[in-house]
Amino acid sequence: METKKMCLVLVTGSMDKLTAAGVMLSGAIADDYQIDVYALIHGARAFLKANADNPENLRMAENTDLRPEFEAALKRLNVKPWIEFFREAKQMGDVKIHVCGLAGKIWGGEKLEDFDPIVDDIVGINECITKLQEADIQVVL
Amino acid sequence: MTEEQLRQIKPDKVVDARGTACPGPLLAAKKAIGDIDKGQIMEILSSDEGTKRDVPKWAKKKGHEYLGTIEENGYFRIFLRK
């Protein structure tokens, strides 16, 4: 059976949308999708070493005043931090995380070592477009 | 399977995912299914309402047989045959 492909483009770097992205990623991994994640603009910032494990460096995209409620609920429900969804997905399946070169430079992430170790490479946008063309599921957040 | 038949099952593997929210139980099932052989039975315990529908649909897509669900007090027991 041919492996299905998913391309997840993260323009967002907000903790609420990244959590949603992590949940979707988990669903796709359960179905054995081959997944390429492209982190653009704010998405790239979230994967910086300084930010990946520090959600306080990230904001909420929506209902910013509800952040304490949101965080408390995640804790109560044993929902892991957004970055852990991505780490677990990489351990369980074929997941590649790519950072846009321009986005990296915007936030001071010029080299791969500036990012969390789960990031595979720094790429140009044409590769992202190609993967979007090839994917069975395309998600842009 | 009837509830009575489900209660007679002695699963080859039990995955206790109670206390985790979606997608925790699904990922736990996905991880654990690799530990059993074809024909063996896995039981997933979940307190997450969404899992009750999610796991059977996932099982069907992946070619496993969904045997049924028992609703206990505060959690579900979901049975699959690999």
Side-chain angles (χ1 to χ4, degrees), chain A residues 23 26 29-32 77-78 85 88 92, chain B residues 19-21 23 26-27 30-31 58 61-62:
Chain A
V23 171
S26 301
I29 275 296
D31 273 0
D32 298 313
L77 296 166
N78 289 319
F85 282 106
E88 186 174 33
M92 290 181 69
Chain B
T20 65
L26 178 63
L27 286 184
K30 159 79 174 166
K31 282 180 191 170
W58 167 76
K61 279 190 285 186
K62 303 313 295 177

Side-chain angles (χ1 to χ4, degrees), chain B residues 9-14 35-37 39-43 80:
Chain B
I9 290 175
K10 300 272 185 284
D12 299 285
K13 187 165 187 78
V14 178
D35 297 339
I36 61 172
D37 296 325
Q40 289 189 313
I41 292 176
M42 182 167 80
E43 176 181 355
L80 306 179

Side-chain angles (χ1 to χ4, degrees), chain B residues 34-75:
Chain B
D35 297 339
I36 61 172
D37 296 325
K38 193 170 168 59
Q40 289 189 313
I41 292 176
M42 182 167 80
E43 176 181 355
I44 301 134
L45 308 180
S46 173
S47 50
D48 180 69
E49 183 74 25
T51 302
K52 193 172 57 171
R53 291 173 56 172
D54 220 18
V55 166
K57 285 184 179 173
W58 167 76
K60 190 177 176 188
K61 279 190 285 186
K62 303 313 295 177
H64 310 306
E65 184 185 0
Y66 167 63
L67 301 176
T69 299
I70 299 174
E71 292 199 25
E72 300 286 10
N73 188 19
Y75 69 98

Side-chain angles (χ1 to χ4, degrees), chain A residues 73-93:
Chain A
L74 293 184
K75 196 172 176 184
R76 188 179 72 248
L77 296 166
N78 289 319
V79 177
K80 51 177 104 56
W82 73 271
I83 190 73
E84 295 301 333
F85 282 106
F86 288 78
R87 288 177 180 149
E88 186 174 33
K90 280 203 73 136
Q91 285 172 359
M92 290 181 69

